[in-house]
Every structure is written in structure tokens, then in C-alpha cells.
Amino acid sequence: GLLVALSREFGFYGQLAGEDLGPFAGPPSSPAFRPVRDEVEAFGRHPAVARALAFYRIRMRLEGNLEWSWALRGMNDAQLLTAAEYARGQRLWDRAIATAERTREQHDFSLRFLAPFREELQPHLRQQQLDEAWVLGLIRQESRFLPDVRSHAGASGLMQLMPATAAMVAKRSGMADFRPALVNDVQINLGLGTAYLRQVLDGLDDSPVLASAAYNAGPGRARAWRTVQPLEAAIYAESIPFGETRDYVKRVMSNATWYAHVRGHSLT
């Protein structure tokens, strides 16, 4: 009973429950509803959407998001999927993901788990020998694929690199002309971010779970939380004393599992 109920949820523990009940089924089947162009364009004519786009153009993201949320009031699943498709067309990756996540019965996991910079990511994955689904899952959690987003703490870009981390990895990689302004460049951000992930993985038993914790809270803390005996991912995640990092690790690994299914390859 409890496992069955949990398995209907889309998060970390829903996936674990599904695996306990049998082979993981992956995301729900494609929704019966697919918005047509006229419906998508009609959503774009909503006054609140026009205001949101105006705010986004002048980098007032918070105000834009408030207008976007106003436009979604009272929407059913079909309307939400139409809005999410409009956001994808406008390259508003974070709004597409957040809007698709609001559906209750009809779900489109290709919208929930967009991979807009997948092509740019490939050479870095090959160079660093990293799993695509995991890195996509981490980027989705870090930035929702917004290349110019900056956190309150000062982290920048797709992989939300802190200035000191970016400078350290650039120096270690032999990047002579590095300067902080380059961190928002998509290729440089992905190159430095994946190089840092490789470095963290090498120091943490090649474990994506430990490395995810390290990416959020620092390698020293991730090592301190590790026990002598290897722990299952769920047990390690729950043993993390920082609530933010505990939630982060579960979300990244859940994202990675969905990306492995949605993007058509197994998670290693």
C-alpha cells in the first residue's frame, strides 16, 4: 500500500518505491493533449504574458515571473501544457519547466525535463567522461537552463559556478585568458563546470551522489558525511545534516533518473 502510493509520485522516493515494486516504468505516457499553434499563439497574446516578456527583456526576472504566474491563474492541464509550450518556443526554459510541473493529470515530461543545451554539452561530457543524464539533472536544479542567471551568493551561469571555483578550475585547466565575466558564456561555463564535476568525482569514489552533495556544499563536507562503509544513495542522502543539501541531492538524482528515460539512455 505505502509503496504503491509513493510510486505514483514523481520525486526521489517515488522512483525508489517504483524500483522496489519492479522494473522502473519511467515517465507517464505522452499526454493525449498536444497544443496546436493557434492555441500557443493565443496564450502569447495574454496581457500578463506581454508584460512578463517586457520584464524579461530588461532582466527584471522576478517581476516577469509574477506576471507569468498571474497569466496561469485557474488554468487546467491542457492550458498549462499550452503555456509551457509557448515558453519553450520563447526559450524561457525555466518557465516551461515550472509550468509543465503544475499539471495534475496530464503530464508532458519532455517539457518538464528540457535539455536545451544538450548539443553544446556533448564535447564536455566526452572530455570529462561524465554521465549526460546526471549532468543535465544537476544543471536543471542549478539554473533551470538559464545561461545568464546569477544567485544571491554570486554563482553564475548554467552550472552556477562561484567566482573562486571558476578561477581555480580555469587555472588548473590551463586557461590563460580567464576573467570572471566569461563565466556566463555557455561553452566556458559548461567546460569549467564539467571539469569541476570530474575533479569532485575523482575525489569521491566516482559516486554521483557524493559528488552532487559536494557540488552543493563543498567536497570537504561531502567527505565528512561519508561513512567507512559505502551507503545506499537514499541512506546517504538522508544522513546529510544540511537540509538544503539533502534536498538538493535528492532532486539532482531524481532529475537524472527522469533524464535517462526521457532522453533515451540508461543512467550509469
Side-chain angles (χ1 to χ4, degrees), residues 121 124-125 128 130 134-135 138-139 156 158-162 165-166 169-170 173 183 185-201 215:
L121 185 59
H124 304 294
L125 296 176
Q128 304 297 343
L130 295 172
W134 175 52
V135 178
L138 186 140
I139 295 172
S156 297
L158 288 173
M159 298 190 71
Q160 287 292 278
L161 293 169
M162 293 294 288
T165 301
V169 177
S173 304
V183 176
D185 178 273
V186 167
Q187 287 290 2
I188 290 174
N189 192 279
L190 292 175
L192 295 175
T194 52
Y196 181 60
L197 275 180
R198 181 73 262 167
Q199 175 187 321
V200 169
L201 269 174
Y215 201 87

PDB file of all heavy atoms in Angstrom, residues 121 124-125 128 130 134-135 138-139 156 158-162 165-166 169-170 173 183 185-201 215:
ATOM      1  N   LEU A 121      26.688  20.616 -24.711  1.00  0.00           N
ATOM      2  CA  LEU A 121      27.236  19.863 -23.579  1.00  0.00           C
ATOM      3  C   LEU A 121      28.055  18.647 -24.012  1.00  0.00           C
ATOM      4  O   LEU A 121      28.979  18.229 -23.297  1.00  0.00           O
ATOM      5  CB  LEU A 121      26.073  19.419 -22.681  1.00  0.00           C
ATOM      6  CG  LEU A 121      26.370  18.718 -21.373  1.00  0.00           C
ATOM      7  CD1 LEU A 121      27.232  19.583 -20.455  1.00  0.00           C
ATOM      8  CD2 LEU A 121      25.067  18.346 -20.660  1.00  0.00           C
ATOM      9  N   HIS A 124      31.993  18.334 -23.830  1.00  0.00           N
ATOM     10  CA  HIS A 124      32.479  18.409 -22.448  1.00  0.00           C
ATOM     11  C   HIS A 124      32.218  17.084 -21.710  1.00  0.00           C
ATOM     12  O   HIS A 124      33.042  16.645 -20.913  1.00  0.00           O
ATOM     13  CB  HIS A 124      31.812  19.576 -21.726  1.00  0.00           C
ATOM     14  CG  HIS A 124      32.007  20.883 -22.415  1.00  0.00           C
ATOM     15  ND1 HIS A 124      33.246  21.490 -22.534  1.00  0.00           N
ATOM     16  CD2 HIS A 124      31.124  21.707 -23.049  1.00  0.00           C
ATOM     17  CE1 HIS A 124      33.120  22.632 -23.196  1.00  0.00           C
ATOM     18  NE2 HIS A 124      31.848  22.777 -23.516  1.00  0.00           N
ATOM     19  N   LEU A 125      31.077  16.472 -21.990  1.00  0.00           N
ATOM     20  CA  LEU A 125      30.795  15.164 -21.388  1.00  0.00           C
ATOM     21  C   LEU A 125      31.810  14.132 -21.843  1.00  0.00           C
ATOM     22  O   LEU A 125      32.287  13.322 -21.046  1.00  0.00           O
ATOM     23  CB  LEU A 125      29.379  14.702 -21.768  1.00  0.00           C
ATOM     24  CG  LEU A 125      28.209  15.538 -21.265  1.00  0.00           C
ATOM     25  CD1 LEU A 125      26.902  14.997 -21.827  1.00  0.00           C
ATOM     26  CD2 LEU A 125      28.167  15.540 -19.734  1.00  0.00           C
ATOM     27  N   GLN A 128      35.308  14.852 -20.216  1.00  0.00           N
ATOM     28  CA  GLN A 128      35.380  14.579 -18.782  1.00  0.00           C
ATOM     29  C   GLN A 128      34.819  13.201 -18.411  1.00  0.00           C
ATOM     30  O   GLN A 128      34.858  12.828 -17.241  1.00  0.00           O
ATOM     31  CB  GLN A 128      34.627  15.659 -18.002  1.00  0.00           C
ATOM     32  CG  GLN A 128      35.105  17.071 -18.279  1.00  0.00           C
ATOM     33  CD  GLN A 128      36.559  17.314 -17.872  1.00  0.00           C
ATOM     34  OE1 GLN A 128      37.141  16.544 -17.091  1.00  0.00           O
ATOM     35  NE2 GLN A 128      37.157  18.372 -18.392  1.00  0.00           N
ATOM     36  N   LEU A 130      31.664  12.026 -18.328  1.00  0.00           N
ATOM     37  CA  LEU A 130      30.569  12.209 -17.376  1.00  0.00           C
ATOM     38  C   LEU A 130      29.266  11.692 -17.962  1.00  0.00           C
ATOM     39  O   LEU A 130      29.074  11.700 -19.179  1.00  0.00           O
ATOM     40  CB  LEU A 130      30.412  13.694 -17.028  1.00  0.00           C
ATOM     41  CG  LEU A 130      31.570  14.356 -16.288  1.00  0.00           C
ATOM     42  CD1 LEU A 130      31.341  15.857 -16.196  1.00  0.00           C
ATOM     43  CD2 LEU A 130      31.749  13.758 -14.897  1.00  0.00           C
ATOM     44  N   TRP A 134      22.961  12.654 -15.551  1.00  0.00           N
ATOM     45  CA  TRP A 134      23.318  13.247 -14.257  1.00  0.00           C
ATOM     46  C   TRP A 134      23.653  14.728 -14.402  1.00  0.00           C
ATOM     47  O   TRP A 134      23.182  15.561 -13.622  1.00  0.00           O
ATOM     48  CB  TRP A 134      24.487  12.485 -13.630  1.00  0.00           C
ATOM     49  CG  TRP A 134      24.990  13.097 -12.361  1.00  0.00           C
ATOM     50  CD1 TRP A 134      24.253  13.436 -11.268  1.00  0.00           C
ATOM     51  CD2 TRP A 134      26.344  13.462 -12.059  1.00  0.00           C
ATOM     52  NE1 TRP A 134      25.072  13.976 -10.285  1.00  0.00           N
ATOM     53  CE2 TRP A 134      26.353  14.001 -10.751  1.00  0.00           C
ATOM     54  CE3 TRP A 134      27.538  13.350 -12.764  1.00  0.00           C
ATOM     55  CZ2 TRP A 134      27.524  14.446 -10.143  1.00  0.00           C
ATOM     56  CZ3 TRP A 134      28.713  13.790 -12.155  1.00  0.00           C
ATOM     57  CH2 TRP A 134      28.694  14.339 -10.857  1.00  0.00           C
ATOM     58  N   VAL A 135      24.452  15.075 -15.403  1.00  0.00           N
ATOM     59  CA  VAL A 135      24.840  16.477 -15.586  1.00  0.00           C
ATOM     60  C   VAL A 135      23.616  17.323 -15.962  1.00  0.00           C
ATOM     61  O   VAL A 135      23.447  18.433 -15.452  1.00  0.00           O
ATOM     62  CB  VAL A 135      25.956  16.609 -16.639  1.00  0.00           C
ATOM     63  CG1 VAL A 135      26.315  18.084 -16.863  1.00  0.00           C
ATOM     64  CG2 VAL A 135      27.205  15.837 -16.186  1.00  0.00           C
ATOM     65  N   LEU A 138      21.709  17.938 -12.845  1.00  0.00           N
ATOM     66  CA  LEU A 138      22.343  18.937 -11.987  1.00  0.00           C
ATOM     67  C   LEU A 138      22.115  20.343 -12.536  1.00  0.00           C
ATOM     68  O   LEU A 138      21.785  21.270 -11.787  1.00  0.00           O
ATOM     69  CB  LEU A 138      23.837  18.629 -11.869  1.00  0.00           C
ATOM     70  CG  LEU A 138      24.626  19.491 -10.892  1.00  0.00           C
ATOM     71  CD1 LEU A 138      25.652  18.643 -10.130  1.00  0.00           C
ATOM     72  CD2 LEU A 138      25.366  20.605 -11.633  1.00  0.00           C
ATOM     73  N   ILE A 139      22.252  20.525 -13.855  1.00  0.00           N
ATOM     74  CA  ILE A 139      22.030  21.847 -14.448  1.00  0.00           C
ATOM     75  C   ILE A 139      20.581  22.278 -14.246  1.00  0.00           C
ATOM     76  O   ILE A 139      20.299  23.444 -13.930  1.00  0.00           O
ATOM     77  CB  ILE A 139      22.393  21.847 -15.948  1.00  0.00           C
ATOM     78  CG1 ILE A 139      23.897  21.592 -16.139  1.00  0.00           C
ATOM     79  CG2 ILE A 139      22.004  23.178 -16.600  1.00  0.00           C
ATOM     80  CD1 ILE A 139      24.309  21.394 -17.582  1.00  0.00           C
ATOM     81  N   SER A 156      27.198  31.880 -11.000  1.00  0.00           N
ATOM     82  CA  SER A 156      26.771  32.353 -12.315  1.00  0.00           C
ATOM     83  C   SER A 156      26.601  31.223 -13.317  1.00  0.00           C
ATOM     84  O   SER A 156      27.294  30.205 -13.262  1.00  0.00           O
ATOM     85  CB  SER A 156      27.792  33.345 -12.883  1.00  0.00           C
ATOM     86  OG  SER A 156      27.896  34.494 -12.075  1.00  0.00           O
ATOM     87  N   LEU A 158      24.860  28.545 -16.325  1.00  0.00           N
ATOM     88  CA  LEU A 158      24.135  27.274 -16.369  1.00  0.00           C
ATOM     89  C   LEU A 158      24.468  26.370 -15.197  1.00  0.00           C
ATOM     90  O   LEU A 158      23.585  25.750 -14.604  1.00  0.00           O
ATOM     91  CB  LEU A 158      24.440  26.532 -17.680  1.00  0.00           C
ATOM     92  CG  LEU A 158      23.833  27.102 -18.956  1.00  0.00           C
ATOM     93  CD1 LEU A 158      24.376  26.349 -20.172  1.00  0.00           C
ATOM     94  CD2 LEU A 158      22.320  27.032 -18.917  1.00  0.00           C
ATOM     95  N   MET A 159      25.759  26.275 -14.855  1.00  0.00           N
ATOM     96  CA  MET A 159      26.184  25.368 -13.798  1.00  0.00           C
ATOM     97  C   MET A 159      26.459  26.107 -12.494  1.00  0.00           C
ATOM     98  O   MET A 159      27.006  25.532 -11.557  1.00  0.00           O
ATOM     99  CB  MET A 159      27.385  24.543 -14.253  1.00  0.00           C
ATOM    100  CG  MET A 159      27.059  23.663 -15.462  1.00  0.00           C
ATOM    101  SD  MET A 159      28.331  22.455 -15.904  1.00  0.00           S
ATOM    102  CE  MET A 159      28.196  21.284 -14.537  1.00  0.00           C
ATOM    103  N   GLN A 160      26.033  27.373 -12.438  1.00  0.00           N
ATOM    104  CA  GLN A 160      26.087  28.173 -11.209  1.00  0.00           C
ATOM    105  C   GLN A 160      27.446  28.071 -10.514  1.00  0.00           C
ATOM    106  O   GLN A 160      27.569  27.615  -9.376  1.00  0.00           O
ATOM    107  CB  GLN A 160      24.957  27.767 -10.266  1.00  0.00           C
ATOM    108  CG  GLN A 160      23.588  28.237 -10.719  1.00  0.00           C
ATOM    109  CD  GLN A 160      23.455  29.756 -10.641  1.00  0.00           C
ATOM    110  OE1 GLN A 160      23.194  30.311  -9.583  1.00  0.00           O
ATOM    111  NE2 GLN A 160      23.631  30.445 -11.762  1.00  0.00           N
ATOM    112  N   LEU A 161      28.472  28.519 -11.230  1.00  0.00           N
ATOM    113  CA  LEU A 161      29.832  28.480 -10.696  1.00  0.00           C
ATOM    114  C   LEU A 161      30.113  29.705  -9.839  1.00  0.00           C
ATOM    115  O   LEU A 161      29.843  30.832 -10.240  1.00  0.00           O
ATOM    116  CB  LEU A 161      30.835  28.423 -11.849  1.00  0.00           C
ATOM    117  CG  LEU A 161      30.831  27.140 -12.676  1.00  0.00           C
ATOM    118  CD1 LEU A 161      31.670  27.319 -13.924  1.00  0.00           C
ATOM    119  CD2 LEU A 161      31.345  25.964 -11.854  1.00  0.00           C
ATOM    120  N   MET A 162      30.686  29.462  -8.665  1.00  0.00           N
ATOM    121  CA  MET A 162      31.155  30.562  -7.836  1.00  0.00           C
ATOM    122  C   MET A 162      32.436  31.124  -8.443  1.00  0.00           C
ATOM    123  O   MET A 162      33.224  30.370  -9.045  1.00  0.00           O
ATOM    124  CB  MET A 162      31.403  30.075  -6.414  1.00  0.00           C
ATOM    125  CG  MET A 162      30.140  29.670  -5.674  1.00  0.00           C
ATOM    126  SD  MET A 162      29.029  31.078  -5.376  1.00  0.00           S
ATOM    127  CE  MET A 162      29.964  31.969  -4.109  1.00  0.00           C
ATOM    128  N   THR A 165      35.649  29.214  -7.519  1.00  0.00           N
ATOM    129  CA  THR A 165      35.692  27.877  -8.123  1.00  0.00           C
ATOM    130  C   THR A 165      36.040  27.980  -9.601  1.00  0.00           C
ATOM    131  O   THR A 165      36.886  27.228 -10.107  1.00  0.00           O
ATOM    132  CB  THR A 165      34.333  27.168  -7.953  1.00  0.00           C
ATOM    133  OG1 THR A 165      34.022  27.075  -6.571  1.00  0.00           O
ATOM    134  CG2 THR A 165      34.366  25.776  -8.561  1.00  0.00           C
ATOM    135  N   ALA A 166      35.384  28.899 -10.314  1.00  0.00           N
ATOM    136  CA  ALA A 166      35.650  29.071 -11.740  1.00  0.00           C
ATOM    137  C   ALA A 166      37.115  29.433 -11.979  1.00  0.00           C
ATOM    138  O   ALA A 166      37.766  28.877 -12.874  1.00  0.00           O
ATOM    139  CB  ALA A 166      34.735  30.142 -12.311  1.00  0.00           C
ATOM    140  N   VAL A 169      39.385  26.308 -11.306  1.00  0.00           N
ATOM    141  CA  VAL A 169      39.308  25.293 -12.360  1.00  0.00           C
ATOM    142  C   VAL A 169      39.952  25.807 -13.641  1.00  0.00           C
ATOM    143  O   VAL A 169      40.637  25.056 -14.344  1.00  0.00           O
ATOM    144  CB  VAL A 169      37.844  24.874 -12.605  1.00  0.00           C
ATOM    145  CG1 VAL A 169      37.753  23.871 -13.752  1.00  0.00           C
ATOM    146  CG2 VAL A 169      37.237  24.275 -11.343  1.00  0.00           C
ATOM    147  N   ALA A 170      39.749  27.096 -13.950  1.00  0.00           N
ATOM    148  CA  ALA A 170      40.357  27.674 -15.146  1.00  0.00           C
ATOM    149  C   ALA A 170      41.881  27.601 -15.070  1.00  0.00           C
ATOM    150  O   ALA A 170      42.554  27.231 -16.037  1.00  0.00           O
ATOM    151  CB  ALA A 170      39.899  29.124 -15.316  1.00  0.00           C
ATOM    152  N   SER A 173      43.031  24.099 -15.460  1.00  0.00           N
ATOM    153  CA  SER A 173      42.834  23.628 -16.832  1.00  0.00           C
ATOM    154  C   SER A 173      43.777  24.303 -17.824  1.00  0.00           C
ATOM    155  O   SER A 173      43.746  23.982 -19.010  1.00  0.00           O
ATOM    156  CB  SER A 173      41.384  23.868 -17.273  1.00  0.00           C
ATOM    157  OG  SER A 173      40.472  23.250 -16.392  1.00  0.00           O
ATOM    158  N   VAL A 183      32.299  33.723 -17.270  1.00  0.00           N
ATOM    159  CA  VAL A 183      31.608  32.588 -16.652  1.00  0.00           C
ATOM    160  C   VAL A 183      30.196  32.405 -17.207  1.00  0.00           C
ATOM    161  O   VAL A 183      29.678  31.290 -17.224  1.00  0.00           O
ATOM    162  CB  VAL A 183      31.575  32.741 -15.109  1.00  0.00           C
ATOM    163  CG1 VAL A 183      30.788  31.623 -14.460  1.00  0.00           C
ATOM    164  CG2 VAL A 183      32.996  32.738 -14.566  1.00  0.00           C
ATOM    165  N   ASP A 185      29.377  32.797 -20.341  1.00  0.00           N
ATOM    166  CA  ASP A 185      29.452  32.213 -21.679  1.00  0.00           C
ATOM    167  C   ASP A 185      29.106  30.730 -21.579  1.00  0.00           C
ATOM    168  O   ASP A 185      29.666  30.006 -20.751  1.00  0.00           O
ATOM    169  CB  ASP A 185      30.862  32.399 -22.250  1.00  0.00           C
ATOM    170  CG  ASP A 185      31.008  31.764 -23.619  1.00  0.00           C
ATOM    171  OD1 ASP A 185      31.323  30.551 -23.688  1.00  0.00           O
ATOM    172  OD2 ASP A 185      30.786  32.468 -24.609  1.00  0.00           O
ATOM    173  N   VAL A 186      28.173  30.270 -22.412  1.00  0.00           N
ATOM    174  CA  VAL A 186      27.665  28.897 -22.280  1.00  0.00           C
ATOM    175  C   VAL A 186      28.786  27.869 -22.374  1.00  0.00           C
ATOM    176  O   VAL A 186      28.901  26.977 -21.516  1.00  0.00           O
ATOM    177  CB  VAL A 186      26.573  28.627 -23.337  1.00  0.00           C
ATOM    178  CG1 VAL A 186      26.263  27.134 -23.431  1.00  0.00           C
ATOM    179  CG2 VAL A 186      25.306  29.398 -22.999  1.00  0.00           C
ATOM    180  N   GLN A 187      29.619  27.960 -23.393  1.00  0.00           N
ATOM    181  CA  GLN A 187      30.662  26.953 -23.566  1.00  0.00           C
ATOM    182  C   GLN A 187      31.690  26.986 -22.433  1.00  0.00           C
ATOM    183  O   GLN A 187      32.126  25.936 -21.954  1.00  0.00           O
ATOM    184  CB  GLN A 187      31.368  27.137 -24.918  1.00  0.00           C
ATOM    185  CG  GLN A 187      30.534  26.718 -26.112  1.00  0.00           C
ATOM    186  CD  GLN A 187      30.334  25.205 -26.196  1.00  0.00           C
ATOM    187  OE1 GLN A 187      30.794  24.441 -25.340  1.00  0.00           O
ATOM    188  NE2 GLN A 187      29.632  24.753 -27.214  1.00  0.00           N
ATOM    189  N   ILE A 188      32.067  28.163 -22.007  1.00  0.00           N
ATOM    190  CA  ILE A 188      33.047  28.268 -20.921  1.00  0.00           C
ATOM    191  C   ILE A 188      32.440  27.768 -19.615  1.00  0.00           C
ATOM    192  O   ILE A 188      33.082  27.036 -18.848  1.00  0.00           O
ATOM    193  CB  ILE A 188      33.559  29.717 -20.791  1.00  0.00           C
ATOM    194  CG1 ILE A 188      34.433  30.060 -22.004  1.00  0.00           C
ATOM    195  CG2 ILE A 188      34.345  29.907 -19.491  1.00  0.00           C
ATOM    196  CD1 ILE A 188      34.871  31.503 -22.071  1.00  0.00           C
ATOM    197  N   ASN A 189      31.186  28.124 -19.346  1.00  0.00           N
ATOM    198  CA  ASN A 189      30.533  27.666 -18.130  1.00  0.00           C
ATOM    199  C   ASN A 189      30.427  26.144 -18.107  1.00  0.00           C
ATOM    200  O   ASN A 189      30.724  25.513 -17.094  1.00  0.00           O
ATOM    201  CB  ASN A 189      29.148  28.305 -18.021  1.00  0.00           C
ATOM    202  CG  ASN A 189      28.521  28.115 -16.657  1.00  0.00           C
ATOM    203  OD1 ASN A 189      27.962  27.065 -16.365  1.00  0.00           O
ATOM    204  ND2 ASN A 189      28.629  29.130 -15.814  1.00  0.00           N
ATOM    205  N   LEU A 190      30.009  25.562 -19.224  1.00  0.00           N
ATOM    206  CA  LEU A 190      29.902  24.103 -19.288  1.00  0.00           C
ATOM    207  C   LEU A 190      31.279  23.443 -19.184  1.00  0.00           C
ATOM    208  O   LEU A 190      31.430  22.407 -18.534  1.00  0.00           O
ATOM    209  CB  LEU A 190      29.214  23.685 -20.583  1.00  0.00           C
ATOM    210  CG  LEU A 190      27.730  24.038 -20.715  1.00  0.00           C
ATOM    211  CD1 LEU A 190      27.212  23.673 -22.105  1.00  0.00           C
ATOM    212  CD2 LEU A 190      26.903  23.332 -19.637  1.00  0.00           C
ATOM    213  N   GLY A 191      32.274  24.051 -19.817  1.00  0.00           N
ATOM    214  CA  GLY A 191      33.622  23.485 -19.751  1.00  0.00           C
ATOM    215  C   GLY A 191      34.189  23.491 -18.343  1.00  0.00           C
ATOM    216  O   GLY A 191      34.702  22.480 -17.857  1.00  0.00           O
ATOM    217  N   LEU A 192      34.061  24.628 -17.661  1.00  0.00           N
ATOM    218  CA  LEU A 192      34.576  24.733 -16.291  1.00  0.00           C
ATOM    219  C   LEU A 192      33.740  23.902 -15.323  1.00  0.00           C
ATOM    220  O   LEU A 192      34.279  23.240 -14.434  1.00  0.00           O
ATOM    221  CB  LEU A 192      34.600  26.191 -15.846  1.00  0.00           C
ATOM    222  CG  LEU A 192      35.557  27.132 -16.593  1.00  0.00           C
ATOM    223  CD1 LEU A 192      35.383  28.561 -16.116  1.00  0.00           C
ATOM    224  CD2 LEU A 192      37.009  26.670 -16.439  1.00  0.00           C
ATOM    225  N   GLY A 193      32.421  23.927 -15.501  1.00  0.00           N
ATOM    226  CA  GLY A 193      31.542  23.181 -14.598  1.00  0.00           C
ATOM    227  C   GLY A 193      31.748  21.685 -14.690  1.00  0.00           C
ATOM    228  O   GLY A 193      31.818  20.993 -13.665  1.00  0.00           O
ATOM    229  N   THR A 194      31.877  21.167 -15.902  1.00  0.00           N
ATOM    230  CA  THR A 194      32.091  19.722 -16.051  1.00  0.00           C
ATOM    231  C   THR A 194      33.496  19.330 -15.593  1.00  0.00           C
ATOM    232  O   THR A 194      33.681  18.230 -15.041  1.00  0.00           O
ATOM    233  CB  THR A 194      31.859  19.274 -17.507  1.00  0.00           C
ATOM    234  OG1 THR A 194      32.637  20.088 -18.398  1.00  0.00           O
ATOM    235  CG2 THR A 194      30.393  19.369 -17.874  1.00  0.00           C
ATOM    236  N   ALA A 195      34.487  20.202 -15.804  1.00  0.00           N
ATOM    237  CA  ALA A 195      35.834  19.902 -15.303  1.00  0.00           C
ATOM    238  C   ALA A 195      35.833  19.830 -13.779  1.00  0.00           C
ATOM    239  O   ALA A 195      36.489  18.964 -13.180  1.00  0.00           O
ATOM    240  CB  ALA A 195      36.820  20.968 -15.789  1.00  0.00           C
ATOM    241  N   TYR A 196      35.078  20.724 -13.150  1.00  0.00           N
ATOM    242  CA  TYR A 196      34.968  20.690 -11.693  1.00  0.00           C
ATOM    243  C   TYR A 196      34.248  19.426 -11.225  1.00  0.00           C
ATOM    244  O   TYR A 196      34.670  18.781 -10.251  1.00  0.00           O
ATOM    245  CB  TYR A 196      34.249  21.943 -11.191  1.00  0.00           C
ATOM    246  CG  TYR A 196      34.107  21.992  -9.681  1.00  0.00           C
ATOM    247  CD1 TYR A 196      35.235  21.991  -8.863  1.00  0.00           C
ATOM    248  CD2 TYR A 196      32.856  22.027  -9.077  1.00  0.00           C
ATOM    249  CE1 TYR A 196      35.110  22.032  -7.477  1.00  0.00           C
ATOM    250  CE2 TYR A 196      32.721  22.074  -7.697  1.00  0.00           C
ATOM    251  CZ  TYR A 196      33.862  22.066  -6.903  1.00  0.00           C
ATOM    252  OH  TYR A 196      33.740  22.095  -5.526  1.00  0.00           O
ATOM    253  N   LEU A 197      33.205  19.039 -11.923  1.00  0.00           N
ATOM    254  CA  LEU A 197      32.499  17.796 -11.573  1.00  0.00           C
ATOM    255  C   LEU A 197      33.432  16.599 -11.663  1.00  0.00           C
ATOM    256  O   LEU A 197      33.401  15.705 -10.815  1.00  0.00           O
ATOM    257  CB  LEU A 197      31.297  17.589 -12.494  1.00  0.00           C
ATOM    258  CG  LEU A 197      29.983  18.266 -12.117  1.00  0.00           C
ATOM    259  CD1 LEU A 197      28.916  17.933 -13.145  1.00  0.00           C
ATOM    260  CD2 LEU A 197      29.534  17.848 -10.721  1.00  0.00           C
ATOM    261  N   ARG A 198      34.248  16.576 -12.708  1.00  0.00           N
ATOM    262  CA  ARG A 198      35.207  15.460 -12.852  1.00  0.00           C
ATOM    263  C   ARG A 198      36.177  15.440 -11.685  1.00  0.00           C
ATOM    264  O   ARG A 198      36.484  14.381 -11.122  1.00  0.00           O
ATOM    265  CB  ARG A 198      35.953  15.602 -14.167  1.00  0.00           C
ATOM    266  CG  ARG A 198      36.969  14.514 -14.478  1.00  0.00           C
ATOM    267  CD  ARG A 198      36.262  13.225 -14.862  1.00  0.00           C
ATOM    268  NE  ARG A 198      36.159  12.282 -13.749  1.00  0.00           N
ATOM    269  CZ  ARG A 198      35.377  11.216 -13.771  1.00  0.00           C
ATOM    270  NH1 ARG A 198      34.614  10.959 -14.815  1.00  0.00           N
ATOM    271  NH2 ARG A 198      35.339  10.411 -12.737  1.00  0.00           N
ATOM    272  N   GLN A 199      36.655  16.605 -11.301  1.00  0.00           N
ATOM    273  CA  GLN A 199      37.582  16.718 -10.180  1.00  0.00           C
ATOM    274  C   GLN A 199      36.929  16.223  -8.884  1.00  0.00           C
ATOM    275  O   GLN A 199      37.539  15.472  -8.104  1.00  0.00           O
ATOM    276  CB  GLN A 199      37.996  18.182 -10.039  1.00  0.00           C
ATOM    277  CG  GLN A 199      38.875  18.506  -8.853  1.00  0.00           C
ATOM    278  CD  GLN A 199      39.080  20.012  -8.715  1.00  0.00           C
ATOM    279  OE1 GLN A 199      39.230  20.714  -9.714  1.00  0.00           O
ATOM    280  NE2 GLN A 199      39.062  20.514  -7.496  1.00  0.00           N
ATOM    281  N   VAL A 200      35.686  16.639  -8.664  1.00  0.00           N
ATOM    282  CA  VAL A 200      34.970  16.222  -7.455  1.00  0.00           C
ATOM    283  C   VAL A 200      34.717  14.722  -7.462  1.00  0.00           C
ATOM    284  O   VAL A 200      34.902  14.042  -6.446  1.00  0.00           O
ATOM    285  CB  VAL A 200      33.648  17.022  -7.339  1.00  0.00           C
ATOM    286  CG1 VAL A 200      32.769  16.441  -6.254  1.00  0.00           C
ATOM    287  CG2 VAL A 200      33.936  18.490  -7.046  1.00  0.00           C
ATOM    288  N   LEU A 201      34.285  14.194  -8.604  1.00  0.00           N
ATOM    289  CA  LEU A 201      34.039  12.751  -8.716  1.00  0.00           C
ATOM    290  C   LEU A 201      35.293  11.945  -8.402  1.00  0.00           C
ATOM    291  O   LEU A 201      35.244  10.932  -7.696  1.00  0.00           O
ATOM    292  CB  LEU A 201      33.563  12.410 -10.133  1.00  0.00           C
ATOM    293  CG  LEU A 201      32.076  12.410 -10.416  1.00  0.00           C
ATOM    294  CD1 LEU A 201      31.848  12.193 -11.911  1.00  0.00           C
ATOM    295  CD2 LEU A 201      31.358  11.329  -9.627  1.00  0.00           C
ATOM    296  N   TYR A 215      29.040  19.274  -4.806  1.00  0.00           N
ATOM    297  CA  TYR A 215      28.804  20.409  -5.687  1.00  0.00           C
ATOM    298  C   TYR A 215      27.997  21.485  -4.972  1.00  0.00           C
ATOM    299  O   TYR A 215      28.190  22.678  -5.188  1.00  0.00           O
ATOM    300  CB  TYR A 215      28.069  19.947  -6.944  1.00  0.00           C
ATOM    301  CG  TYR A 215      28.198  20.890  -8.112  1.00  0.00           C
ATOM    302  CD1 TYR A 215      29.273  20.794  -8.996  1.00  0.00           C
ATOM    303  CD2 TYR A 215      27.259  21.883  -8.344  1.00  0.00           C
ATOM    304  CE1 TYR A 215      29.404  21.669 -10.071  1.00  0.00           C
ATOM    305  CE2 TYR A 215      27.379  22.767  -9.409  1.00  0.00           C
ATOM    306  CZ  TYR A 215      28.454  22.649 -10.273  1.00  0.00           C
ATOM    307  OH  TYR A 215      28.591  23.519 -11.332  1.00  0.00           O
TER     308      TYR A 215
END
